[in-house]
Amino acid sequence: MDERQAQRNRRAPGVGAEEAAGVLAGTLESLITVWGRAQEAFGTTVSPTQLRALTIIHRARGISLHGLAQEMGTVSSVASRLCDRLDSAGLVTRDLDAHNRRKVVVALTSDGESLMDAIRARRAEDLVDTLGRMPAADRAALVAGMEAFRRAAGHPAHADSDTGEGVRDAPSRRFA
């Protein structure tokens, strides 16, 4: 057993929630740095808030403006202004819902999809590179711990977020 494993075994039984939260906070700062490199690599002028909106829209494969506002924890008028900027940049479209003409649906354009695909690919490369520098046992422990955290937080498995569940009906016409 190497020193790192022995140290982890000594700490594991007595790790309290506060200590774990401190370690997690520090780790998240490192992850945010790795995560942010992808956006920086493309020299995009998309802000972190705009990227968050694009991520929500991408995950939902189209979402109502109201739904986007709720996901972002804001009001519809703020989400609408955000979408104005994303629309001007050619990254999203806003269309009237096919079944409810009062509802506006936001979806990524092909440029928006391309940007998100490129950022996700770069993020994956950066994560694989970072994780590749970890011993296999540490990677396994990280995965187990992250899965336990996800379950404790009440979030569905990552694979479930890409099933298309929650996909909105295609819009009927362009919203001007």
Side-chain angles (χ1 to χ4, degrees):
M1 178 182 315
D2 68 1
E3 179 58 31
R4 202 180 302 170
Q5 181 68 32
Q7 196 175 35
R8 190 172 49 241
N9 288 345
R10 283 191 301 269
R11 282 190 315 205
V15 174
E18 277 188 40
E19 181 183 350
V23 170
L24 180 58
T27 303
L28 286 174
E29 288 175 5
S30 297
L31 181 59
I32 288 167
T33 300
V34 170
W35 205 247
R37 283 187 213 143
Q39 184 177 354
E40 293 167 7
F42 294 100
T44 179
T45 59
V46 174
S47 73
T49 301
Q50 290 171 330
L51 185 58
R52 184 168 165 239
L54 291 171
T55 301
I56 292 167
I57 296 165
H58 185 276
R59 183 184 65 232
R61 293 175 178 80
I63 190 169
S64 72
L65 191 58
H66 179 73
L68 177 61
Q70 285 184 317
E71 286 277 328
M72 296 191 73
T74 191
V75 294
S76 293
S77 61
V78 171
S80 181
R81 286 191 300 275
L82 176 65
C83 288
D84 286 343
R85 292 187 293 279
L86 293 171
D87 191 6
S88 294
L91 300 173
V92 301
T93 60
R94 289 179 290 178
D95 298 292
L96 294 178
D97 185 273
H99 303 291
N100 181 350
R101 295 176 47 88
R102 294 181 298 171
K103 183 185 208 180
V104 176
V105 177
V106 184
L108 295 182
T109 63
S110 60
D111 285 348
E113 289 282 352
S114 294
L115 177 63
M116 291 305 298
D117 290 345
I119 288 173
R120 282 181 164 204
R122 177 59 189 261
R123 284 175 172 170
E125 288 172 19
D126 288 348
L127 288 172
V128 166
D129 182 53
T130 302
L131 293 168
R133 292 191 298 263
M134 293 174 63
D138 289 349
R139 280 194 307 270
L142 175 66
V143 168
M146 294 303 290
E147 285 295 315
F149 181 87
R150 178 196 49 75
R151 286 189 304 273
H155 290 269
H158 176 69
D160 294 345
S161 67
D162 290 333
T163 62
E165 194 167 316
V167 173
R168 307 306 190 265
D169 290 329
S172 59
R173 71 178 182 93
R174 175 88 173 118
F175 180 74

